[in-house]
Amino acid sequence: MTAEHPEQAETADVAIVGAGPAGLTAAACLRRLTGARVVVIDREAEPGGIPRHAHHQGFGLRDLRASLTGPEYAKRLADRADRAGAVIRSRAQATGWSPDGALELTSPAGRTELLARAVVLATGCRERPRSARLVAGSRPDGVMTTGTLQQLVYLAKRSPGRRAVVVGAEHVSFSALATLEHGGARAVAMVTELPRHQSFALFRLGASLRYRTPLLTGTAITAIHGRPRVQAVELTELATGATRTLECDTVVFTAGWVPDHELAVLGGLTLDPATRGPRVDGGLRTARSGLFAAGNVVHPAETADVAALAGRHVAATVQAALEDRAPWPAAAAPLICEAPLHWVAPSAVSPGPLAGPPRGRYLLRAHRELIDAGVEMVQDGRALGRHRAVRVTAGRSTALPAAVTARADPDGGAISVRVVSARCRR
Amino acid sequence: MAGRERAMPARETDYDVAVIGAGDVGAAVARELARFELRIALIDRGDVGAGTSKANTALLHTGFDSKPGTHEARLVARGHALLQAYAAEVGIPIERTGALLVAWDETQLARFDAIEDNARACGHHGLRRVDAEELHRREPRLGPGARGALEVADEYIICPFTPPLAYATQAVLAGAHLRRGEAVTGLQPLPGGGWRVSTARANAARANAARANAGAGAAPDAGELTATWVINAAGLRSDEVHRMAGRDGFTVTPRRGELIVFDKLSRPLVNHIILPVPTAKTKGVLIAPTVFGNVMLGPTADDIDDKTSTSSTADGLARLRAAGRRLMPALLEHDVTAVYAGLRAATEHADYSLEVDGDARYACAGGVRSTGLTASMAIAEWMRDQLGDAGLELTERPVGLPAITMPNLGEAFPRPYGDAERIAADPAYGEIVCFCERVTRGEIRDAARSPIAPSDLDGLRRRTRALMGRCQGFFCGAHVAELMAAPERTP
């Protein structure tokens, strides 16, 4: 709070940053559980987050037990939070923290501060753009991420191009195929460096039948050519090093998710180097007392309903903190994946009640596909538990039951998560 | 546009001076000449500052490493003082970080004497030796093995985009005609003296610039104008324009410099400009903060033959990362926000190619390399004096150059999103459109209403920073494109 502008200082019990599925669900649940004053800050013009511009069906399966389109789902979540009595503030961006721990906000209403007893970071994630992937070549128009593509086609009603190459083969990549078709563009290839796609077999089948888009596995995009518009991409087959040129006017970089972690870093949190999101325990508590993180800022990226359920989960720990029922964990043992495992979320184990992960499971990813994998947790040379997973892969999580960390010592050293046996699909 | 509407006296030629090239040098020359009663055309195939001027290392050099006795050494030293003062006057973001020239082995350490001698010969006496202990204290993230450094305290980081726009804005407000989207295709001497300048619209992308320039109607595909004097400031194409004027003497070989820009979260890693010990060909790969709050790694230096090839290469990026891994391993752990490749207008000569010919009424400021941003105002001053000596009538206009304030793009100065009073007075400054760079709708609107409005998204990027952040348009790309397609031009 600034003494010079006392009229600009605002207080709340809970400030939630981000009105996507995690933030809106946390807000609605907190209002139902408590009488707390809950303010949700969102920088977009409308609440709802990423689903606002994802027009395919299938949103809300796990949390609402319904199958909705993205915009329907976004509206449903925003309405629920609103009806529950949460204050949703759109066009407001939290740009940093004041020295006394208030959020600094910019909105058309002014430059203000919001001081809350609990803050939940529900800032979500975004796709790494071409530059962050260090793809060489010219910098023409027509290179975008799925996020930009969806906004272009569904919000701005503009044409993305005519011939597109989709980089990546996760769920979102198949969603990009549908968006391209809706926008009148043909996807001439889907490219992944991995040996197979990482989505549902049905999506893959649908893509080849409906859009006739070939899936090029084990292939990297190594250069983009053209100016002022994309004219072609250079593709390299990883096994042989053979390159070829494919003509196109649009390149869509999909997946490659990175959490929107700026506020977490500015708030003094250290990132989990594997997820690049803030490290949280099962209760979604960060290392800083009163600061929580939930949704895809923690696990980049899960489907919207999984993020929403993380919002429901964090509401319970926030409630406990508001009611002084659970002391902030003094210690938490980090979970650290060993290659070829990539990341696990949440990635810290703390003591006490409310320390179990959302949905009773940890989410596990690998750099490449592992079949029939024995996953072991080891702390200070002591095996804590083992789990056999049918499959662990990239782009799609495998559940590890919460019990695997039941014997962990929160005051002990880092917990290593490793594969002790697996078959590797080539 | 104010300049376009000014009534001009009828004379034999359309213009007294045609400046070819609206980069750092051409725009600075146009601005300097706009002080006088002259009819000026500033011609560019694209936008202001969109050629070699847009992708440089964004440093205000002292010139301690220049070759003594050259135009470059003198003009960089003079330009350093001029641009520093000008930056304060018109609001160009600039920060005095100072530079540390780091030696990584005995051989490089041994070169410090020669570097100091060279600096003294160029008039710089302020270099200071820094031992390894002090170096690591002041740059704790520097990689292991640094042996010591030379401190050059007067090196600055500067916004590379604002200077040419500021120069051109002042020139236009003082009455110069800015002719964007016109590529010069030929120069013919007129019988009575002066030049006929033939132009063409370069391509469709350039046409947008021409339309924005003209306000509404489309410019013709080919055109011509006449001018008493022609000043060649065509950067990468300065050799081609030189030959159009019937001259020879230098050839531009584009030297490509690739740069990696790291995420803003890396900014606390670096305190100074970290320079390597230079070689004959290049100043080498450096690490520097940017005024936008990023950290930059680069540039490479590769001679190529295509003046349009601003592509980055897998090999160049790999070399930069290898160099960066040694200089500052922690930097490489950060995400990359952008990759650029710029072309420097290098020639076979170790100096700029400067010339003023009073008989032909032709002047040239060609072959101006990466130091051009620093030297630009000094080149303009030199050009003014030479033109005066060569017979160009320089009558000062009764009112000086109009005062301007450029929009601030730098993190070290207040930006609209954080300015409570500005937002209270105009809520458009509280509406953040580009979340990563915190660019507001008010700033995008201001750019559209500015004397030199952007004609494409790249132009908007250089004027506002919109889309230049870590998401590269994931969140705001479509919104910014809409604002660009339907700009809020009228108040």
Side-chain angles (χ1 to χ4, degrees), chain A residues 132-321:
Chain A
R133 304 174 194 226
L134 294 176
V135 177
S138 59
R139 302 175 66 228
D141 296 333
V143 180
M144 62 193 83
T145 50
T146 317
T148 311
L149 172 71
Q150 290 180 341
Q151 291 173 54
L152 207 61
V153 171
Y154 293 122
L155 299 186
K157 315 276 185 212
R158 294 161 79 99
S159 161
R162 301 178 67 84
R163 286 170 59 88
V165 169
V166 174
V167 184
E170 298 185 15
H171 293 333
V172 67
S173 323
F174 290 91
S175 156
L177 287 186
T179 309
L180 284 166
E181 198 214 20
H182 187 90
R186 191 171 119 67
V188 293
M190 183 181 245
V191 180
T192 175
E193 297 186 18
L194 295 172
R196 68 185 298 260
H197 70 87
Q198 306 103 54
S199 187
F200 302 127
L202 195 63
F203 284 10
R204 164 70 187 112
L205 187 67
S208 55
L209 292 180
R210 181 160 178 196
Y211 310 122
R212 303 194 180 282
T213 300
L215 173 66
L216 308 176
T217 56
T219 303
I221 176 168
T222 40
I224 295 176
H225 302 300
R227 188 87 193 164
R229 179 90 196 184
V230 179
Q231 285 166 346
V233 293
E234 180 194 88
L235 301 176
T236 302
E237 200 181 315
L238 294 175
T240 61
T243 65
R244 67 189 179 103
T245 301
L246 183 60
E247 280 182 29
C248 61
D249 63 5
T250 304
V251 185
V252 185
F253 285 93
T254 69
W257 300 100
V258 59
D260 234 321
H261 52 218
E262 185 180 31
L263 271 184
V265 174
L266 296 178
L269 301 180
T270 46
L271 300 180
D272 177 330
T275 60
R276 310 277 291 150
R279 193 183 288 283
V280 292
D281 73 352
L284 304 181
R285 292 171 290 206
T286 69
R288 179 170 144 184
S289 176
L291 183 55
F292 301 78
N296 280 344
V297 70
V298 171
H299 38 66
E302 295 295 329
T303 52
D305 50 1
V306 171
L309 291 174
R312 188 183 293 173
H313 184 81
V314 79
T317 16
V318 172
Q319 180 192 15

Side-chain angles (χ1 to χ4, degrees), chain B residues 11 20 28 53 128 131 235 309 319 406 423 455 464:
Chain B
R11 292 185 215 168
I20 302 172
S53 299
R128 192 177 78 82
D131 64 25
S309 179
R319 275 185 282 142
M406 298 301 287
I423 298 170
S455 50
T464 64

Side-chain angles (χ1 to χ4, degrees), chain A residues 43-131:
Chain A
R43 57 197 191 181
E44 296 281 359
E46 300 284 338
I50 299 283
R52 284 173 311 127
H53 46 75
H55 279 233
H56 55 85
Q57 284 280 334
F59 284 90
L61 293 174
R62 293 183 183 85
D63 59 332
L64 302 182
R65 309 276 172 208
S67 178
L68 307 171
T69 67
E72 288 166 354
Y73 179 68
K75 185 163 188 325
R76 185 87 64 93
L77 293 186
D79 287 348
R80 282 157 64 102
D82 183 54
R83 276 202 311 275
V87 176
I88 302 174
R89 201 157 295 156
S90 293
R91 291 184 205 273
Q93 184 171 347
T95 60
W97 304 86
S98 76
D100 56 359
L103 287 164
E104 295 172 331
L105 306 182
T106 293
S107 76
R111 177 74 171 163
T112 57
E113 291 184 0
L114 175 61
L115 187 62
R117 292 172 61 203
V119 176
V120 181
L121 300 178
T123 46
C125 61
R126 59 184 167 80
E127 293 163 297
R128 275 198 178 82
R130 175 261 180 104
S131 53

Side-chain angles (χ1 to χ4, degrees), chain B residues 213-277:
Chain B
N213 209 21
D221 282 340
E224 60 176 40
L225 56 94
T226 57
T228 309
W229 275 85
V230 161
I231 300 176
N232 172 7
L236 287 165
R237 293 182 171 79
S238 53
D239 57 339
E240 295 165 37
V241 171
H242 203 57
R243 284 194 287 276
M244 287 178 203
R247 286 152 188 275
D248 217 338
F250 69 95
T251 303
V252 171
T253 304
R255 186 168 295 159
R256 178 163 57 201
E258 297 174 55
L259 294 164
I260 297 178
V261 178
F262 287 89
D263 191 282
K264 292 185 165 180
L265 294 172
S266 68
R267 178 64 185 86
L269 297 177
V270 187
N271 300 316
H272 306 81
I273 302 159
I274 297 173
L275 302 172
V277 174

Side-chain angles (χ1 to χ4, degrees), chain B residues 258-260 285 297-300 316-325:
Chain B
E258 297 174 55
L259 294 164
I260 297 178
V285 174
L297 171 70
T300 54
L317 297 178
R319 275 185 282 142
L320 285 182
R321 290 177 66 79
R325 208 164 282 125

Side-chain angles (χ1 to χ4, degrees), chain B residues 141-227:
Chain B
R141 297 304 194 131
L142 210 58
R147 303 290 299 274
L150 271 179
E151 179 176 16
V152 193
D154 265 337
E155 295 270 322
Y156 289 70
I157 58 174
I158 186 169
C159 173
F161 306 129
T162 311
L165 282 167
Y167 302 152
T169 298
Q170 274 191 309
V172 164
L173 292 178
H177 284 189
L178 174 62
R179 303 177 62 136
R180 286 187 284 173
E182 293 182 58
V184 170
T185 53
L187 295 172
Q188 283 173 296
L190 293 171
W195 297 89
R196 183 183 308 282
V197 181
S198 306
T199 62
R201 292 242 301 275
N203 59 36
R206 312 297 182 210
N208 292 329
R211 270 195 294 278
N213 209 21
D221 282 340
E224 60 176 40
L225 56 94
T226 57

Side-chain angles (χ1 to χ4, degrees), chain B residues 43-362:
Chain B
I43 310 168
D44 199 286
R45 58 170 42 230
D47 191 9
V48 171
T52 188
S53 299
K54 81 174 174 188
N56 53 49
T57 46
L59 303 178
L60 183 62
H61 296 289
T62 56
F64 76 93
D65 54 354
S66 301
K67 188 177 174 193
T70 56
H71 283 302
E72 187 177 26
R74 191 169 39 80
L75 295 171
V76 165
R78 172 73 180 147
H80 179 270
L82 289 173
L83 185 48
Q84 193 185 313
Y86 185 66
E89 179 193 324
V90 304
I92 296 168
I94 181 169
E95 291 176 50
R96 187 176 187 262
T97 57
L100 292 169
L101 188 133
V102 176
W104 295 86
D105 57 37
E106 282 300 323
T107 320
Q108 292 181 355
L109 266 184
R111 293 205 47 207
F112 280 6
D113 283 338
I115 292 168
E116 283 183 299
D117 288 346
N118 185 84
R120 274 190 290 273
C122 291
H124 300 287
H125 301 275
L127 273 59
R128 192 177 78 82
R129 300 275 178 127
V130 171
D131 64 25
E133 186 274 325
E134 182 186 341
L135 175 59
H136 284 283
R137 182 159 43 77
R138 293 172 64 183
E139 285 294 353
R141 297 304 194 131
L142 210 58
R147 303 290 299 274
L150 271 179
E151 179 176 16
V152 193
D154 265 337
E155 295 270 322
Y156 289 70
I157 58 174
I158 186 169
C159 173
F161 306 129
T162 311
L165 282 167
Y167 302 152
T169 298
Q170 274 191 309
V172 164
L173 292 178
H177 284 189
L178 174 62
R179 303 177 62 136
R180 286 187 284 173
E182 293 182 58
V184 170
T185 53
L187 295 172
Q188 283 173 296
L190 293 171
W195 297 89
R196 183 183 308 282
V197 181
S198 306
T199 62
R201 292 242 301 275
N203 59 36
R206 312 297 182 210
N208 292 329
R211 270 195 294 278
N213 209 21
D221 282 340
E224 60 176 40
L225 56 94
T226 57
T228 309
W229 275 85
V230 161
I231 300 176
N232 172 7
L236 287 165
R237 293 182 171 79
S238 53
D239 57 339
E240 295 165 37
V241 171
H242 203 57
R243 284 194 287 276
M244 287 178 203
R247 286 152 188 275
D248 217 338
F250 69 95
T251 303
V252 171
T253 304
R255 186 168 295 159
R256 178 163 57 201
E258 297 174 55
L259 294 164
I260 297 178
V261 178
F262 287 89
D263 191 282
K264 292 185 165 180
L265 294 172
S266 68
R267 178 64 185 86
L269 297 177
V270 187
N271 300 316
H272 306 81
I273 302 159
I274 297 173
L275 302 172
V277 174
T279 65
K281 191 172 174 188
T282 167
K283 293 174 198 288
V285 174
L286 58 88
I287 289 177
T290 74
V291 294
F292 310 131
N294 300 89
V295 174
M296 194 182 62
L297 171 70
T300 54
D302 297 301
D303 288 343
I304 58 173
D305 47 18
D306 181 356
K307 288 176 180 176
T308 63
S309 179
T310 53
S311 291
S312 57
T313 62
D315 171 58
L317 297 178
R319 275 185 282 142
L320 285 182
R321 290 177 66 79
R325 208 164 282 125
R326 177 174 190 196
L327 291 167
M328 191 169 284
L331 181 59
L332 276 288
E333 289 165 20
H334 282 266
D335 268 330
V336 169
T337 292
V339 171
Y340 292 103
L343 299 178
R344 320 168 181 80
T347 69
E348 64 273 43
H349 305 299
D351 197 2
Y352 303 158
S353 294
L354 300 182
E355 172 186 348
V356 174
D357 181 339
D359 295 331
R361 292 177 182 163
Y362 170 82

